[in-house]
Each structure stands twice: as structure tokens, then as C-alpha cells.
């Protein structure tokens, strides 16, 4: 089921507001202004979800983005319970994405070859991280990683390159978080790279899903009508 679409001008305002909040967040992280990050981060996914809903996106897509909002807010805290709760929110978002990709996506024979690569990446990453993760986080991180890799693989295999790139960037972003938790060496300003890849991931998943559904023949073809009237 899709959300009803609204006027193109409002869509443009919402997209501009998301871009502004993203710029503020990334700039704050780049210069070490924590206050700006605290203000901007909770605005990001609600704005992106509102834009997606305004474009007539499926409700599962909007739900996935709002689950990301819950995770974003919880991860503003450094406490272990907040980290686990945030990971649970993101896991729920991946379930929404998987349900959507399975229901509305179309398998692509060539990209199906990516599945073994994603499986190898999952097993290798979890095996390398496992000894360095806190004992209480090993199983949750392994379970979450399995769900994340399944989402990233399904995005590529069932929706095409745009959503596939979004899934891959989500995987990269969360791998940076996991290596930080494992106390591995980090790049300068690691939170900047985490947020940059995460924001790109969510935006590409949203736009890639919409484009893939617009391109479908049959009942979903009416979705393409939105494209002609809104950006």
C-alpha cells in the first residue's frame, strides 16, 4: 500500500529541508560541534520519510525510515542499553525493507551473483570482529549483521543498482560503527564518515525503491504518474 501523494512544491520543500539538516549535521561533525549534531540528527529521517510519503512511497519504506529515526535518536547516547535499543530499531527498519523488497522487487539474474559475495563479507566480518567485541554484544551484533547483509543483498538483487548502492553504503556505515565498538583503529572524524555513508544509504534506498517501483509494469505503473508532477 502506498501513501497518497501531495503537491510538488511541498515535496521540494521537504527535500530541501532534509538536505539542509544533512549539511548542518555533517558540518557539525566535521568541525567537532556536538550541539549541532544533536540538533540536526533527529530531524534527518523524519524529513526524508515525509518526503518519501509525499512522493507516494510504500508505507513499508516510510516505516523503515522512521525506524532509522528511532535508532538515530537512541544512538545519541553512549550507554550500552541505548546502543542495543538503537540496533533493535535499525533491525526493525531492515525487516521493513526486506518485506518491501520481497513483496515488490523483481529478481535480476545478473545481480543474483552478488549473493555469494555478500555471504562471504558477512562471515568474514563477523569472524574478525567477534574476539574484539564486548561479550554481551557479540551475538546481537552477529544477528544484526546477518539482517543488514540480507537487506543490502536484497536491495541489489531485487531493486537494481541505485537501491543496491544504498544497501552497500548502509553496510559500510554500520561496519564503521562495529569496528569502533571493537576498538579497532578508526579514520579521523569517524562519526562524520558514519553519518555521510548512512545518509547517502538511506537516500539511495528511498529513491532507488521509488524508481524501481515506478518502472514496474502492471498495477504499480500508476506509481509513475507521481514522477511527472513531483521532483
Amino acid at each position: 500500500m502506498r501513501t497518497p501523494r501531495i503537491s510538488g512544491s511541498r515535496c521540494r520543500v521537504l527535500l530541501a529541508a532534509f538536505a539542509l539538516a544533512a549539511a548542518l549535521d555533517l558540518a557539525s561533525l566535521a568541525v567537532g560541534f556536538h550541539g549541532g549534531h544533536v540538533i540536526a540528527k533527529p530531524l534527518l529521517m523524519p524529513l526524508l520519510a515525509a518526503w518519501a510519503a509525499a512522493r507516494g512511497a510504500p508505507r513499508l519504506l516510510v516505516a523503515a525510515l522512521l525506524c532509522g529515526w528511532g535508532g538515530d535518536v537512541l544512538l545519541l547516547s553512549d550507554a550500552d542499553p541505548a546502543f542495543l535499543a538503537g540496533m533493535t530499531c535499525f533491525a526493525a527498519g531492515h525487516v521493513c525493507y526486506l518485506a518491501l523488497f520481497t513483496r515488490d522487487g523483481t529478481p535480476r539474474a545478473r545481480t543474483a551473483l552478488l549473493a555469494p559475495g555478500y555471504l562471504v563479507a558477512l562471515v568474514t566480518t563477523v569472524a574478525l570482529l567477534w574476539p574484539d567485541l564486548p561479550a554481551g554484544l557479540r551475538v546481537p551484533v552477529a544477528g544484526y549483521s546477518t539482517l543488514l547483509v540480507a537487506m543490502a543483498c536484497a536491495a541489489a538483487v531485487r531493486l537494481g543498482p541505485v537501491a543496491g548502492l544504498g544497501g552497500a553504503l548502509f553496510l559500510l556505515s554500520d561496519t564503521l560503527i562495529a569496528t569502533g565498538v571493537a576498538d579497532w583503529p578508526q579514520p579521523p572524524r569517524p562519526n562524520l564518515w558514519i553519518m555521510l555513508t548512512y545518509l547517502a544509504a538511506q537516500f539511495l534506498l528511498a529513491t532507488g525503491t521509488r524508481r524501481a517501483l515506478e518502472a514496474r509494469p502492471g498495477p504499480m505503473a500508476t506509481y509513475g504518474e507521481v514522477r511527472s508532477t513531483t521532483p
Side-chain angles (χ1 to χ4, degrees):
M1 183 176 291
R2 294 177 288 120
T3 54
R5 62 187 178 93
I6 61 176
S7 68
S9 59
R10 186 173 176 185
C11 289
R12 287 188 288 271
V13 169
L14 289 168
L15 185 58
F18 168 73
L20 182 61
L24 173 60
D25 188 58
L26 295 175
S28 298
L29 290 171
V31 301
F33 178 41
H34 183 67
H37 177 59
V38 170
I39 292 171
K41 188 178 183 184
L43 300 175
L44 294 165
M45 289 305 106
L47 288 170
L48 186 59
W51 172 75
R55 297 297 310 269
R59 290 180 180 176
L60 280 171
L61 174 58
V62 176
L65 294 172
L66 292 178
C67 286
W69 168 71
D72 288 345
V73 172
L74 287 163
L75 291 186
L76 286 171
S77 170
D78 293 328
D80 285 346
F83 180 82
L84 286 170
M87 188 162 56
T88 301
C89 285
F90 283 117
H94 297 325
V95 170
C96 291
Y97 276 131
L98 276 170
L100 175 61
F101 300 161
T102 301
R103 185 190 70 187
D104 294 336
T106 302
R108 291 163 167 79
R110 292 181 180 178
T111 53
L113 298 174
L114 295 172
Y118 275 105
L119 179 60
V120 170
L122 169 65
V123 173
T124 302
T125 302
V126 171
L128 291 173
L129 287 171
W130 187 273
D132 298 323
L133 290 170
L137 291 179
R138 287 172 179 168
V139 172
V141 167
Y144 174 82
S145 298
T146 301
L147 194 56
L148 170 61
V149 170
M151 182 280 293
C153 183
V157 171
R158 300 188 69 89
L159 291 184
V162 176
L165 178 57
L169 287 174
F170 213 134
L171 181 57
L172 174 58
S173 178
D174 280 1
T175 299
L176 288 172
I177 295 176
T179 57
V181 172
D183 203 26
W184 285 16
Q186 297 291 294
R189 304 285 187 192
N191 287 337
L192 171 62
W193 299 110
I194 289 169
M195 284 304 298
L196 179 62
T197 50
Y198 168 69
L199 290 174
Q202 291 281 43
F203 181 75
L204 288 170
L205 283 168
T207 56
T209 299
R210 178 179 58 81
R211 291 177 183 177
L213 296 184
E214 286 176 351
R216 286 190 61 182
M220 288 300 295
T222 55
Y223 195 92
E225 295 172 5
V226 178
R227 181 168 48 186
S228 64
T229 57
T230 54

